[in-house]
Amino acid sequence: MDSPQISAGLPETSAPRRRKHSLATRFALGFAIGVGVIVIAVFIASFFVDGIMRPRIEAQMNSKLKGYHVTLGHAHLQLLTLRLTLKRLIVVQNAHPRPPVAELPLMRFRIHWTELLWLRVVANVGMWDPKIHIDQAQFTTEAKSKTSLREKGWQDALQSVYPFKINRFAIRNGDVTYIDPGSRPLHLTNLNFVTDNIRNIHEPNNVYPSLFTAQTVVFDKGRLSLDGRANYLMKPFPGMVTHYVLSGAPLSAVTPASRHVNLAIKGGTLSSEGNIEYSPKVTNVDVRSATIDSVDLTYVHARQTVAEKQRINKVGKAIEKENNRPAVYIKLHELAIHNSRLAFNDETSDPAYMLFIANTNMTLTNVSNHEEHGQSRVDLTGKFMGSGVTRVYGIFVASGSGPEFATNIEILNTDVTALNPLLRAHGRFDVAQGLFTVYAQLGVKNNRMNGYVKPMFSNLKVYDYQKDKNKGVLQQAKKMIIGAAAHVFKNRQTQKVATQVNLNGTLKNPNVSTWEAFVEVVRNAFIQAILPGFDHEVHPDGASAGAGGNG
């Protein structure tokens, strides 16, 4: 009889519980609705502050910049997540506002949520489809400016946009163009770049604590990838160390830069792999390999203006300064050139002429700016003027006192008629047939040149009546005399015109680079080699004006 009483009392004890549960449910539901209303209100309010944000951000950025100006199309701050979105950000250089230096269609700042786990509030910044444009006028203005690029206020301008320190930065599908009038633009496309730990939060004891990676298309066809580390807090500029891989980059695109050192480039591709370290304390360029395929490379010897002579002097002194400098290490382990054409074009002579080596294959090893790294070696084969079997081999040394090298040259059975432009320029005559062979040893050390050149001519025919019958009597007579001189010089056993020119003298300009010194020495030696017995202005003892490197 007790059980019914107990069961009858159960509804009375559970009713308060149901009421408490109902109240809790209604409170939770009300709280959720309240939070939802707040979230919606904050979300809606985010759009009402857009009109205030845009001019404020634009003004803040411009107050930090020197020599540049920005305009901002749209700004949106999502108050709920604190994500800031900028659209149509345009950067112009005050001195040359067209074209804009940068066009940034979309840029976003947000809290780097992963770092919140470490109780650090920092920002993550991303750019989508940015375009960078630089022309020669803008570049020249920047180079002449007394205010360094770091002092232009770029970092302060970017930091002023968002209240939290930037720790991660990414670029997606970037585009960089350098425009030089009259030349093909230098162009990087599909640039993707990511770097992290900019504030040195992690690995603070590492010299380069920030990781970065980058990939881009170089000049429409080549591909470049970077994988390295950086220290963005170094002063006066950030430092970095990276491994790079470059493949299939068209060389013709670098003509705007190469012509400043009198090099004209047509065709060809470059592939390379190595490491680069660049910081306020050290510069280290370690190129493990570089390969050039099918390039037409011409060194142009032009009449030098006063400005150009000053530039060459400046370059020479800069090279001498960097040689054996403790903080600068530049090393090229191996450079290979395949199936190419190397040429020398003398625009100072009358008439102008060109010398070239076709089908060139060359290997250059152990090139360094430090003498302690040992000798550099070169080995080249090809066909001089398209016919003469050629080999050039020798050594080069990084010397602080100026160019230093020793080379051996042999050229076998070149068709002499291909040299007629040179003969007209320096001997005022040409030939009808013949073969030309030359053996030479050339060296420069302590600004003094030495060596010899031994040329030989066979089957030489200077005067051809059918070819020269329309020329003046004096010109015909001169060619007949030259032909007679060639006959006198002919070796009775070999039936070849042969002589030897000894080279001794000093470099007129010891501040030129090794490459420029080598070209000038070979040029002058070659002219002296081919003309003995034909032109009284060239002396077999090497005492002519050309021996000193005048050109």
Side-chain angles (χ1 to χ4, degrees):
M1 298 296 294
D2 293 337
S3 297
Q5 293 178 358
I6 295 174
S7 61
L10 287 175
E12 295 180 3
T13 59
S14 61
R17 293 179 182 177
R18 284 200 301 268
R19 284 196 295 271
K20 289 180 181 179
H21 179 73
S22 177
L23 288 174
T25 301
R26 286 197 298 270
F27 177 79
L29 181 61
F31 180 79
I33 293 174
V35 170
V37 170
I38 293 174
V39 169
I40 294 173
V42 170
F43 180 80
I44 295 174
S46 298
F47 293 92
F48 286 95
V49 300
D50 288 355
I52 301 173
M53 293 293 298
R54 190 205 64 79
R56 185 180 182 85
I57 291 174
E58 185 177 276
Q60 285 178 337
M61 294 188 73
N62 284 322
S63 68
K64 304 294 182 180
L65 291 174
K66 298 177 182 179
Y68 292 84
H69 182 81
V70 303
T71 57
L72 180 60
H74 176 74
H76 174 65
L77 177 63
Q78 179 50 258
L79 296 176
L80 191 62
T81 61
L82 296 181
R83 188 181 70 180
L84 175 64
T85 301
L86 307 182
K87 294 183 179 180
R88 301 185 301 280
L89 181 65
I90 309 297
V91 183
V92 300
Q93 187 187 64
N94 294 341
H96 301 280
R98 291 290 179 270
V101 172
E103 299 178 65
L104 311 179
L106 177 62
M107 189 174 184
R108 285 201 175 112
F109 298 75
R110 63 180 178 84
I111 293 176
H112 196 175
W113 297 108
T114 304
E115 293 298 336
L116 286 179
L117 299 176
W118 302 84
L119 302 180
R120 300 184 182 101
V121 183
V122 290
N124 183 350
V125 181
M127 290 183 183
W128 283 262
D129 306 311
K131 296 183 182 297
I132 308 297
H133 309 265
I134 303 173
D135 62 24
Q136 190 178 38
Q138 293 167 335
F139 182 81
T140 301
T141 298
E142 186 62 50
K144 292 181 178 179
S145 175
K146 295 181 180 180
T147 305
S148 68
L149 190 61
R150 184 181 179 88
E151 295 173 331
K152 297 290 184 179
W154 293 106
Q155 186 174 351
D156 292 337
L158 190 62
Q159 195 64 61
S160 69
V161 173
Y162 202 62
F164 306 114
K165 297 292 185 181
I166 298 171
N167 195 53
R168 190 174 189 273
F169 182 78
I171 296 175
R172 304 297 183 191
N173 194 34
D175 188 293
V176 181
T177 304
Y178 172 72
I179 302 170
D180 193 346
S183 302
R184 180 182 176 185
L186 304 184
H187 199 195
L188 303 180
T189 57
N190 302 115
L191 172 62
N192 293 289
F193 172 82
V194 177
T195 185
D196 208 343
N197 194 35
I198 294 174
R199 308 308 304 178
N200 296 7
I201 294 173
H202 308 289
E203 303 182 52
N205 296 325
N206 194 323
V207 177
Y208 301 107
S210 306
L211 294 170
F212 71 84
T213 60
Q215 303 83 35
T216 186
V217 176
V218 183
F219 310 136
D220 302 326
K221 295 181 179 179
R223 295 193 174 274
L224 172 66
S225 64
L226 303 174
D227 187 1
R229 305 180 72 96
N231 188 332
Y232 300 101
L233 303 183
M234 278 187 175
K235 294 182 179 181
F237 56 86
M240 66 92 184
V241 58
T242 184
H243 176 75
Y244 75 89
V245 177
L246 175 67
S247 61
L251 276 173
S252 57
V254 304
T255 298
S258 69
R259 69 184 184 184
H260 294 300
V261 289
N262 294 355
L263 290 178
I265 299 174
K266 293 182 181 178
T269 59
L270 170 65
S271 298
S272 181
E273 180 264 336
N275 300 288
I276 298 175
E277 181 179 11
Y278 184 68
S279 75
K281 294 183 179 180
V282 66
T283 297
N284 188 352
V285 180
D286 187 19
V287 180
R288 306 299 303 178
S289 65
T291 303
I292 296 175
D293 287 300
S294 305
V295 68
D296 190 323
L297 181 64
T298 301
Y299 180 86
V300 181
H301 183 65
R303 297 190 184 278
Q304 295 177 359
T305 63
V306 174
E308 186 177 8
K309 289 180 179 179
Q310 291 175 344
R311 176 188 61 78
I312 292 176
N313 243 355
K314 183 178 180 180
V315 171
K317 290 179 180 179
I319 292 173
E320 183 178 347
K321 179 181 177 181
E322 299 304 328
N323 277 346
N324 298 294
R325 182 180 169 188
V328 179
Y329 294 88
I330 301 174
K331 187 167 185 178
L332 170 60
H333 294 260
E334 181 177 283
L335 168 65
I337 299 178
H338 301 309
N339 192 32
S340 297
R341 180 178 181 268
L342 306 182
F344 172 82
N345 182 17
D346 191 341
E347 295 182 348
T348 66
S349 65
D350 183 20
Y353 65 87
M354 179 179 289
L355 306 175
F356 66 88
I357 302 176
N359 305 117
T360 298
N361 289 284
M362 185 182 81
T363 302
L364 189 62
T365 58
N366 195 42
V367 180
S368 172
N369 70 322
H370 279 261
E371 194 170 358
E372 65 188 43
H373 291 162
Q375 298 172 338
S376 308
R377 297 187 177 275
V378 62
D379 196 335
L380 178 150
T381 61
K383 290 188 175 181
F384 180 62
M385 304 307 290
S387 59
V389 177
T390 301
R391 187 183 180 198
V392 179
Y393 58 97
I395 59 173
F396 295 78
V397 178
S399 173
S401 59
E404 183 177 335
F405 60 85
T407 57
N408 295 271
I409 301 173
E410 59 180 43
I411 302 173
L412 309 178
N413 298 323
T414 301
D415 181 359
V416 181
T417 60
L419 298 174
N420 275 334
L422 171 67
L423 299 177
R424 295 188 195 106
H426 293 278
R428 301 304 174 188
F429 68 92
D430 54 17
V431 297
Q433 71 175 43
L435 296 176
F436 168 65
T437 294
V438 64
Y439 298 94
Q441 288 185 353
L442 304 172
V444 168
K445 186 174 182 178
N446 298 326
N447 298 325
R448 291 193 60 84
M449 55 181 288
N450 61 81
Y452 71 87
V453 182
K454 186 174 183 178
M456 293 181 287
F457 298 85
S458 59
N459 300 320
L460 190 64
K461 186 176 182 181
V462 178
Y463 180 74
D464 186 328
Y465 175 76
Q466 293 297 324
K467 180 179 178 181
D468 300 324
K469 63 183 179 180
N470 295 324
K471 294 183 178 180
V473 176
L474 292 178
Q475 182 70 10
Q476 292 186 47
K478 180 179 179 181
K479 297 188 72 172
M480 292 177 67
I481 295 172
I482 291 169
H487 180 74
V488 171
F489 272 82
K490 185 175 295 185
N491 183 294
R492 291 182 180 180
Q493 292 182 346
T494 63
Q495 292 298 298
K496 293 181 179 180
V497 179
T499 186
Q500 179 167 311
V501 180
N502 295 315
L503 301 175
N504 292 286
T506 59
L507 292 178
K508 293 295 184 182
N509 188 355
N511 290 323
V512 297
S513 67
T514 298
W515 161 249
E516 289 175 307
F518 177 74
V519 170
E520 283 302 302
V521 170
V522 171
R523 170 180 174 270
N524 285 290
F526 191 81
I527 292 171
Q528 292 185 66
I530 201 170
L531 296 177
F534 303 142
D535 191 328
H536 295 294
E537 293 180 3
V538 178
H539 307 286
D541 62 359
S544 70
N550 285 348

